[in-house]
Amino acid sequence: LEESLGTLASARAAYDRCVELKVATPQMVLNYGALLVEHEYYEDCFAAYERGVALFKWPHVRELWTAYLDAFVGRYGGAKLERCRDLFEQALDKAPAADAAQLYVQYAKLEEQHGLARRAMAVYERAASAADDDRQYDAYRLYIAKIEQTFGATKARGVYETAIKTLARDHDAKRMCLDFAQLERKLGEIDRARAVLAH
């Protein structure tokens, strides 16, 4: 009602009071953030998101963290990289494995675009080790693809070995062994490929 018929100040006061009384829903916080961005009050928007994520627990806070991180990265990119890293770490701190996978990928992309390749690879590694059983194979495949793209195929060997030891399901470990053997064949290391297949 305040957004439609009142002023920006009255709408902000209504949203602030809802958050203060802890009667706000995640959707209300998202609407408040969108209102503030629309009027170019970016820091106030980030403050509203901060207050919102403090109110809710996972999984209800998922959309708030996604919107907050998207808005912050979209606004500042690499200009406030340390603050951005801190936000990702806060989001990942209590995130369950199913939700953490998406956050890790988003975090790693930030590091690839604005940070260091080494830091991005460390985030991909964390994503692979933190993923749940359903997503672990795909997380390792993404990590391996990024390692090969950035540092070359030979650097991926260690990741393949770690993945084979770590994967919880035998089916996924078998697929990873076949992928590893294929890499060794590509590199001309037939004996190593045989050893991987024997394993």
Side-chain angles (χ1 to χ4, degrees):
L1 185 68
E2 290 292 351
E3 277 191 59
S4 301
L5 303 175
T7 64
L8 176 63
S10 65
R12 288 184 65 173
Y15 277 123
D16 285 334
R17 189 75 176 129
C18 284
V19 172
E20 185 181 310
L21 292 173
K22 297 185 179 179
V23 295
T25 64
Q27 187 60 54
M28 288 176 80
V29 177
L30 290 172
N31 292 345
Y32 188 22
L35 175 73
L36 292 170
V37 167
E38 183 182 319
H39 289 89
E40 298 182 358
Y41 288 99
Y42 296 105
E43 283 301 322
D44 292 343
C45 168
F46 302 145
Y49 281 135
E50 279 289 334
R51 291 168 63 198
V53 296
L55 284 178
F56 303 101
K57 294 186 177 1
W58 290 89
H60 308 294
V61 77
R62 178 192 307 120
E63 285 78 18
L64 289 178
W65 272 119
T66 301
Y68 186 10
L69 293 167
D70 285 345
F72 196 88
V73 171
R75 174 76 177 148
Y76 293 115
K80 295 191 176 184
L81 196 55
E82 283 305 317
R83 185 171 164 198
C84 206
R85 285 175 180 149
D86 185 52
L87 289 176
F88 273 105
E89 293 297 340
Q90 285 177 42
L92 287 164
D93 186 38
K94 293 186 175 119
D99 294 314
Q102 177 190 351
L103 290 171
Y104 275 120
V105 170
Q106 198 176 353
Y107 187 8
K109 285 181 181 173
L110 170 79
E111 289 291 352
E112 282 183 284
Q113 291 170 353
H114 304 290
L116 300 170
R118 182 175 40 82
R119 285 188 78 117
M121 294 309 119
V123 174
Y124 281 120
E125 182 179 8
R126 286 174 60 194
S129 60
D132 60 1
D133 292 350
D134 293 337
R135 295 171 181 81
Q136 197 169 32
Y137 175 80
D138 293 330
Y140 269 111
R141 287 301 306 154
L142 178 62
Y143 178 30
I144 288 166
K146 294 294 183 178
I147 285 279
E148 287 181 8
Q149 178 185 341
T150 308
F151 299 113
T154 55
K155 292 286 185 188
R157 284 181 173 140
V159 182
Y160 273 112
E161 290 167 4
T162 303
I164 291 165
K165 289 177 192 168
T166 308
L167 286 167
R169 294 193 237 175
D170 289 343
H171 173 69
D172 290 337
K174 182 179 84 171
R175 288 167 54 199
M176 192 61 71
C177 285
L178 293 173
D179 295 341
F180 190 14
Q182 185 65 34
L183 171 78
E184 293 295 0
R185 284 180 53 207
K186 252 193 322 190
L187 294 173
E189 298 283 352
I190 303 302
D191 289 339
R192 289 179 68 104
R194 281 187 188 128
V196 171
L197 290 171
H199 173 75

